[in-house]
Amino acid sequence: MQTALVTGASRGIGAAIARGLASDGYRVAINYHTNQTAAETLCQELQQLTNLPHLAVRADVSDRSQAEAMFAAVGNVDVLVNNAGIAQQKLFTDLTEEDWDHMFAVDVKGVFHCCQLALPHMIRQKDGVIVNISSMWGQVGASCEVHYSAAKAAVIGLTKSLAKELGPSHIRVNCIAPGVIETDMNALLGVETLECLREETPLEILGTPAHIADAVRFLVSSRASFITGQVLGVNGGMII
Ligand code: NAP
């Protein structure tokens, strides 16, 4: 039985990824930060569906000691999905140093911590898959989201470099750059803005967490065994 750790899996995209990987036969570690009830409810649901010993595990991924405790609780991780993330909309001129540092702590340093902690086992077994969740804004930049866009661009750079370094160990590292996905993260945008974004999307729909989960399931699977260091846009054609 292989273990997949999905960070930020209490809700939204991470919860859909956890569901998908559980139905593909993985024992899933559902990481959460604050939403313990949601993570534990999801864990019970998946246990009933699959009869596998999934677990919900708390950690703020930006904190090294909490990330270490999480890996100690989970054990060896064969598939790591770095999904946990925060977003914030603010004029660049209004950003504080704390805003900048917090964004990079969660969205970049969290990925660094979890990759480093997952790798000893993956390198030992010369096998493993990492999928990082970036954003289309990391590819093209978003107004009023400079720190978010810069952090998500860093995740793309991290993915490409790590894929080169880990290729000889047969560990694949890829990245997904979602477009606009209907989750809590976008709820603050309001109905009108979301409708404009839908109209701007060539496929004329907003994405769902399941769209991203399907892409993760593909990248994790043996069907993607010759794919590493890539950025897969899952955005309805918004960024081409
Ligand atoms: P969401 O609904 O806001 O959920 C965020 C998840 O991340 C929650 O499970 C939350 O845990 C967790 N989290 C936040 N800070 C954390 C921390 N310090 N340590 C551990 N977990 C933490 O977000 P989402 O829309 O599903 O986004 C998931 C990922 O996709 C993010 O990386 C985001 O940047 C990326 N993305 C989203 C969109 C979109 O349109 N939604 C587009 C592009 C990229 P708790 O609930 O337990 O606090």
Side-chain angles (χ1 to χ4, degrees), residues 98-237:
E98 287 71 31
D99 290 333
W100 184 273
D101 287 346
H102 186 45
M103 183 63 68
F104 271 73
V106 178
D107 288 14
V108 186
K109 206 175 177 191
V111 178
F112 160 69
H113 288 323
C114 292
C115 287
Q116 264 199 344
L117 292 165
L119 279 174
H121 165 70
M122 291 183 180
I123 291 170
R124 235 182 354 259
Q125 67 173 4
K126 278 191 165 270
D127 194 17
V129 183
I130 297 174
V131 179
N132 297 323
I133 307 298
S134 176
S135 165
M136 67 176 172
W137 301 131
Q139 297 175 292
V140 298
S143 168
C144 296
E145 293 190 74
V146 172
H147 55 341
Y148 179 74
S149 303
K152 291 301 187 180
V155 170
I156 291 174
L158 183 154
T159 301
K160 291 182 177 183
S161 332
L162 203 51
K164 288 185 178 173
E165 191 167 319
L166 296 174
S169 297
H170 305 139
I171 297 164
R172 295 186 298 106
V173 189
N174 287 294
C175 188
I176 290 176
V180 184
I181 311 297
E182 286 189 286
T183 67
D184 296 344
M185 189 172 271
N186 282 326
L188 287 178
L189 293 178
V191 180
E192 270 179 34
T193 307
L194 284 173
E195 181 54 19
C196 290
L197 288 165
R198 187 190 68 73
E199 282 170 10
E200 277 174 43
T201 306
L203 286 179
E204 296 184 329
I205 52 166
L206 294 175
T208 65
H211 285 129
I212 306 304
D214 284 344
V216 171
R217 293 167 78 178
F218 166 67
L219 285 175
V220 160
S221 77
S222 58
R223 284 170 296 153
S225 59
F226 199 46
I227 300 177
T228 196
Q230 302 304 307
V231 182
L232 178 57
V234 184
N235 57 37

Side-chain angles (χ1 to χ4, degrees), residues 7-110:
T7 66
S10 52
R11 56 200 166 93
I13 292 170
I17 295 169
R19 280 201 178 85
L21 294 179
S23 63
D24 289 341
Y26 289 94
R27 164 187 176 252
V28 180
I30 299 160
N31 161 250
Y32 66 94
H33 181 210
T34 55
N35 275 300
Q36 180 174 7
T37 308
E40 285 177 352
T41 304
L42 175 62
C43 185
Q44 282 161 14
E45 180 201 318
L46 297 184
Q47 272 166 3
Q48 277 164 11
L49 277 174
T50 63
N51 231 356
L52 291 170
H54 309 293
L55 77 161
V57 56
R58 202 196 90 78
D60 174 348
V61 292
S62 69
D63 182 306
R64 183 70 176 206
S65 58
Q66 292 188 37
E68 282 172 356
M70 170 171 73
F71 274 82
V74 173
N76 291 335
V77 169
D78 305 288
V79 168
L80 170 65
V81 184
N82 284 305
N83 164 80
I86 55 166
Q88 184 187 37
Q89 289 177 339
K90 226 172 175 183
L91 280 174
F92 181 69
T93 44
D94 289 343
L95 281 181
T96 63
E97 190 179 351
E98 287 71 31
D99 290 333
W100 184 273
D101 287 346
H102 186 45
M103 183 63 68
F104 271 73
V106 178
D107 288 14
V108 186
K109 206 175 177 191

